[in-house]
Every structure is written in C-alpha cells, then in structure tokens.
Amino acid sequence: MSLTPEWTEDVRGDATKLRYHATPGLLAVGIDEGSPSGSGVAFLQASDGSRMGTLGTTGSLQRTEYDERAEMVFAITDEDYVYAIDPETAELRWETQASGVGAATEETVFVHGANTVRAHGVDDGSREWKTVLPDSVYAGFFLVGDTLFAGIGEWKDEGVVAVDPETGQKRWHYRPGSAKSLDVSEDEIYTKFESEKRETELVHLNGTTGVEQWSYDVGTAGFWFHPDDGTVYIEGS
C-alpha cells in the first residue's frame, strides 16, 4: 500500500532531525551544516507545511523543546548554544551559550552549562543571576514550588543541590557518594544507591532541608519506585 503525502516542503538543505510540537502545532527541522546556508533549524506549520522561518545556528541541532509556561520554543545545538524562539512567528527572541534548558516559569528560564546555572528573562534573555554549583549538572533540573533542584555529579556518584529560583542562592547540597539516581516528586526527593554498604537502599530526603527522612532496604539491587500522593510503591524480585 502506498501513502499519499498531505503536503511536502523543501527546507533547502539536508534534514537531520524532525520534532513535532503538538502545542503550538509546529515542526522543527534540523538542517545539516553542509547545506548551502549552513546548519540551522526550519520551522513549519504542522497542519499544511507552510514555512514559518529558518534560523541559522552555531552547531548542529540536537533537540528542540517547547515550554508551556514560558510559551517559548528552545533550540539546543551540539556547540552548546540555546536559542529562544517565538512559537507564533518563529522569530528569534534571544540566544545564549549553555548546554541546555533546565526549567522555566512565565517570567524566567533556567539554563545550565558545566557547573553553572543561570536565570534569564523569558522576553529578552536578560541575565538575572548566575550561580556556580559544587559540580557539573548531570541529572537535569526540577523546578518544584519555590525550589530549583539540580542533579549534579556523575553516574553512581550523584548529588542534588537546591537553589532559590529568585536569587540563585544555594540552600543545601546533598552528596552522599554512590548515589546512582535521583527522583523528585512534589518537594520530596528519592535516592537509589549502588555500593557495598547501601546497594539495595532507597532513601527519602526532605526537599526543604535536604535531610534524610528515612531509608528502606528493598532487598534487591534491581528495583523501581513510583512516588505518588505521598505513597511510594516499590517493585522488586
């Protein structure tokens, strides 16, 4: 069976990536650096393929993300550049050097690069603050309530730092050693370990203070947990 395309559109270069954003109904298409105009990203209306615009980028497109709170599309390249793009017009609002976008609100976007976190204004990208963390960002960002959590460190030696999203001031830092994963639910944090002493341990942290509240030996190195409504459900063999 053959399929008939509803529309086709020439992006004027070799397409390297394609990302569909249901909201606000657009397609982001990465353009190869060997194309006549160089690397970039083209934006098309998903409904009919009409071209909204094309943005030249420093480095090849890694991914695009749409944040509903900021009402902005972010394009991230492999040369550590972040571009903030208006989803209605595909016009560039601002750009900055960073490895990724961690979280956003209606007014502020939080980006990271190596061991730094910066806050930028959504509308014009003006920098509000910059904070140096104890280690490089590893496990991404979580903005929960009035706290920005960042997973830092490396595999099997992760930590988490809590930052005030208004000022960038560090509130607390938890780095017990041998932590292999961190999960945030509401303002509670759950940590799994991989070491001789704590190989099968699940630890619950208070998100406000960073203090360990309780730990539980699940009896197996392989397990999953699903925090929901104050209850933790654990699967294990």
Side-chain angles (χ1 to χ4, degrees), residues 4 68 110 114 119 129 146 159 167 178 183 189 203 215:
T4 302
E68 292 186 359
F110 304 97
W129 53 257
D146 65 347
T167 65
S178 74
D183 289 81
I189 301 168
V203 174
S215 64

Side-chain angles (χ1 to χ4, degrees), residues 158-170:
E158 292 186 33
V160 62
V161 61
V163 176
D164 186 326
E166 296 294 328
T167 65
Q169 182 177 1
K170 186 178 73 174

